[in-house]
Structure formats: C-alpha cells, structure tokens
Amino acid sequence: MKVVVTGSAGFIGSAVSIYLLERGDEVLGIDNINDYYDVNLKLGRLERVKAYDKFTEAKINLEDKEKIFETVSKFKPQRVINLAAQAGVRYSIENPSAYVDSNLVGFCNILESCRYNEVEHLVYASSSSVYGANTKMPFSVHHNVDHPLSLYAATKKANELMAHVYSNLYGLPTTGLRFFTVYGPWGRPDMALFLFTKNILAGKPIDVFNYGNHRRDFTYIDDIVEGVIRTLDNLPEKNSEWDSDMPDSASSFAPYRLYNIGNNTPVELSRYIEVLEDCLGKKAERNLLPLQAGDVPDTYADVEALVQDVDYKPNTSVETGIRTFVEWYREFYKV
C-alpha cells in the first residue's frame, strides 16, 4: 500500500514507518522536525527510515493547509497514520497555542486531505490522558471522558470528536488509538525513563512525582507498533447495534472506532525505577515530590476490544523493555 505517516521523525512514527517499509509498503513521511526536544535524536531516527528506497520525506507543518493538501494529493495514499502532534501534558500548561495549532488545526487539515483524496482508513493517535478525572480502573473506551485535566488531553478528545464528524458526514473510516505511556529505544527525552537514565548515570538526583506511588501502564514500543499496524489493516465498520439511548462512545453508526493500546499491566513508578537501577547497576538519589498539575495518579488500559478485533497481544515486560532501552541509550550516547 501507499501510506502517509505524519510524525515520521517521532518515536512511534519512525518505528511504524520502518515496519511498513519492511513489509513492502510505500511510505510518505511528514514531519516538521521542530525543536520541542533534541533535533539530533529526531534526525537519527529519520536516518534509519531514509535507508529504505520506498520512503519519501516531506518537511511540513501540519497547520500548513496548502502544503499538506498538495503533498498528500500528489502521493495518493490508500491509508494515513496521523502520529504528529504537539506532545506533553506539562508543556501544554506553558504553551497552549502550540497545541491548538498542531493538534486541532493540523488534525483538521489531515481530515480534509483524507476526505478529498478518498483515503480508505485514517488511524490517528489519541492518548490515555483523555481519561482525565476518571478513577474507575481499568480505563475502558466505553467510559465517559468529558473531564480532561490538561489542554493536551482536551485536544486529543477533540480529535476523537472531529474524526467522528468525518466518519459520519463523509464515510471516512477512522480509528483512534489511546496510547498508554510508550517507552523503549529511540524514545522521547522528555519522558521519565529518558530523564531518569540521564540523571542516574550523571550522579544527579531524579524527580519522582507523587512520591513514586502512581502507576503507569508502561507499553513497549514494539507492542505499540504491532497494535498500530494491525489496526491499520482492520477497517472499522458501522456498528449496526449502536443505540442512541445507550450510546457506546467507542463505536458508532458511522465507520468509527476507538481503542486503548497499552500493556494491560500497570507498574508502580517506584518499581519501574528499581528495574532501571538494576539495569544501570547504579542506585538513584530520589527527590520525592507531590503530583504535578495536569497529571493523573494512575493509568491502566482495558485492551479487550483491541484483543478481540485485531488479536493484539502485548507481551514485553518492563524488565525486558527497560534493559533493551538501556542498551540502546549507552550505545547512542556512548556512556
């Protein structure tokens, strides 16, 4: 197939692109290579992807409507995977306009491009952060998610609503994936595992929020990629049993689906740090702090729907995942 992947220099986007290219698909990668974090890391990921003959690079901002339309129309993809977004819960408190531009305006441009180019399936990144003030565990796609705790989360919830409109009005099959704390080699340096590793090796203290008591459904990158590709290949259908008196938020009378994509095995942050210490052979000095604004105490994904529909099977333990990350980190940064 011909597949557009936005965020192709990103953590998940580069890994998804490589998977598609390895199986013989043609990929157009769209990324603006911004400096939200280390550009050299993004360029390093991109070099891995550019090694494949069937990869085409396009350096564009999602909010540049004309360039997005022109580029997508020329490529004529069958399917689109939208992974580009302004990421980060805490950064959204400091720079809200960046999230409006990329996550709302940019996503609208992707939807319009899919509509006018008769794309067969749009798969897009949502986030576990949409669960916001929800406390019932595990988080289910069938739960109400109307109380986000950050602008980042609100933009991801908005993406789900926008996608539904296009599924309804134009019959565009759309699938949203709510990612749960993705980690692994080539990961984002603003994420906990990266920050912890850097500081522990440098002999500096690590900031441990919520005093290390919160739990995260840490999901290894290979398990995430497998889920994304299986979802891409499984077009959503209309739910003939959808009932407006008892509406299911995960499906619709339109070709629309939402899934959680996580490990289904939450781990306490303090345990996560212990595993990292073992892999590094060095103890961390912990700076225990309260929960940050906009953050949630726990995440735990109910992935049953994804298991049933695409046979999704996350199977990477944090012990294996962190060890692989540490090996990559030492090699990449020569430490």
Side-chain angles (χ1 to χ4, degrees), residues 128 130-147 157 160 178 180 247-251 256 258 260 300-302:
S128 60
V130 300
Y131 288 103
N134 290 28
T135 55
K136 185 178 180 181
M137 298 286 175
F139 291 147
S140 169
V141 287
H142 305 294
H143 292 166
N144 178 282
V145 288
D146 286 339
H147 298 86
K157 167 68 173 174
E160 297 175 358
R178 293 174 176 172
F180 280 70
D248 171 23
S249 60
S251 64
Y256 170 88
L258 290 173
N260 286 333
Y300 178 6
D302 177 349

Side-chain angles (χ1 to χ4, degrees), residues 183-330:
Y183 75 101
W186 299 97
R188 274 178 30 211
D190 60 328
M191 298 292 282
L193 182 58
F194 225 105
L195 295 169
F196 290 166
T197 301
K198 181 179 179 180
N199 280 14
I200 292 171
L201 288 175
K204 297 179 180 178
I206 61 172
D207 289 339
V208 182
F209 294 99
N210 202 33
Y211 309 105
N213 295 325
H214 59 264
R215 299 186 305 162
R216 288 289 178 269
D217 207 340
F218 296 104
T219 315
Y220 189 65
I221 183 62
D222 290 2
D223 292 332
I224 287 287
V225 171
E226 185 72 29
V228 171
I229 300 299
R230 285 172 181 257
T231 304
L232 180 72
D233 293 341
N234 184 64
L235 271 66
E237 297 179 352
K238 298 177 181 180
N239 180 1
S240 60
E241 298 179 358
W242 195 87
D243 183 356
S244 61
D245 291 331
M246 294 185 295
D248 171 23
S249 60
S251 64
S252 174
F253 50 83
Y256 170 88
R257 283 292 186 278
L258 290 173
Y259 295 108
N260 286 333
I261 181 165
N263 197 40
N264 197 225
T265 310
V267 175
E268 197 165 82
L269 183 59
S270 58
R271 170 59 185 159
Y272 195 66
I273 295 169
E274 288 172 3
V275 174
L276 177 59
E277 289 172 330
D278 289 343
C279 292
L280 292 173
K282 193 172 183 180
K283 288 291 183 181
E285 180 186 343
R286 306 186 190 194
N287 182 24
L288 301 179
L289 298 166
L291 193 67
Q292 286 184 295
D295 215 343
V296 296
D298 302 303
T299 64
Y300 178 6
D302 177 349
V303 297
E304 186 58 33
L306 201 58
V307 172
Q308 288 183 354
D309 289 357
V310 303
D311 197 27
Y312 173 65
K313 294 177 180 177
N315 56 17
T316 308
S317 67
V318 291
E319 289 79 9
T320 298
I322 291 177
R323 184 177 67 250
T324 307
F325 169 81
V326 168
E327 290 170 355
W328 167 82
Y329 187 95
R330 287 186 179 280

Side-chain angles (χ1 to χ4, degrees), residues 111 160-174 238 242 252-256:
L111 287 167
E160 297 175 358
L161 298 173
M162 293 163 73
H164 184 267
V165 170
Y166 276 72
S167 295
N168 173 46
L169 289 178
Y170 310 114
L172 171 65
T174 65
K238 298 177 181 180
W242 195 87
S252 174
F253 50 83
Y256 170 88

Side-chain angles (χ1 to χ4, degrees), residues 72-126:
V72 174
S73 297
K74 185 178 180 181
F75 186 65
K76 293 182 170 53
Q78 280 88 33
R79 305 194 183 173
V80 173
I81 304 175
N82 184 62
L83 300 170
Q86 180 56 60
V89 169
R90 286 170 286 280
Y91 188 69
S92 69
I93 297 172
E94 303 165 15
N95 296 276
S97 60
Y99 292 76
V100 173
D101 292 343
S102 179
N103 300 8
L104 298 181
V105 176
F107 188 62
C108 183
N109 290 338
I110 292 297
L111 287 167
E112 284 283 273
S113 297
C114 290
R115 168 195 174 191
Y116 282 106
N117 288 283
E118 299 180 345
V119 166
E120 296 172 359
H121 189 193
L122 167 64
V123 175
Y124 62 95
S126 185

Side-chain angles (χ1 to χ4, degrees), residues 1-5 17 20-29 53-56 75 77-79:
M1 294 186 295
K2 298 178 79 173
V3 184
V4 168
V5 178
S17 296
L20 291 168
L21 292 160
E22 283 281 350
R23 76 175 192 178
D25 293 331
E26 188 176 345
V27 175
L28 168 66
D53 292 337
K54 289 187 176 183
F55 178 75
T56 303
F75 186 65
Q78 280 88 33
R79 305 194 183 173

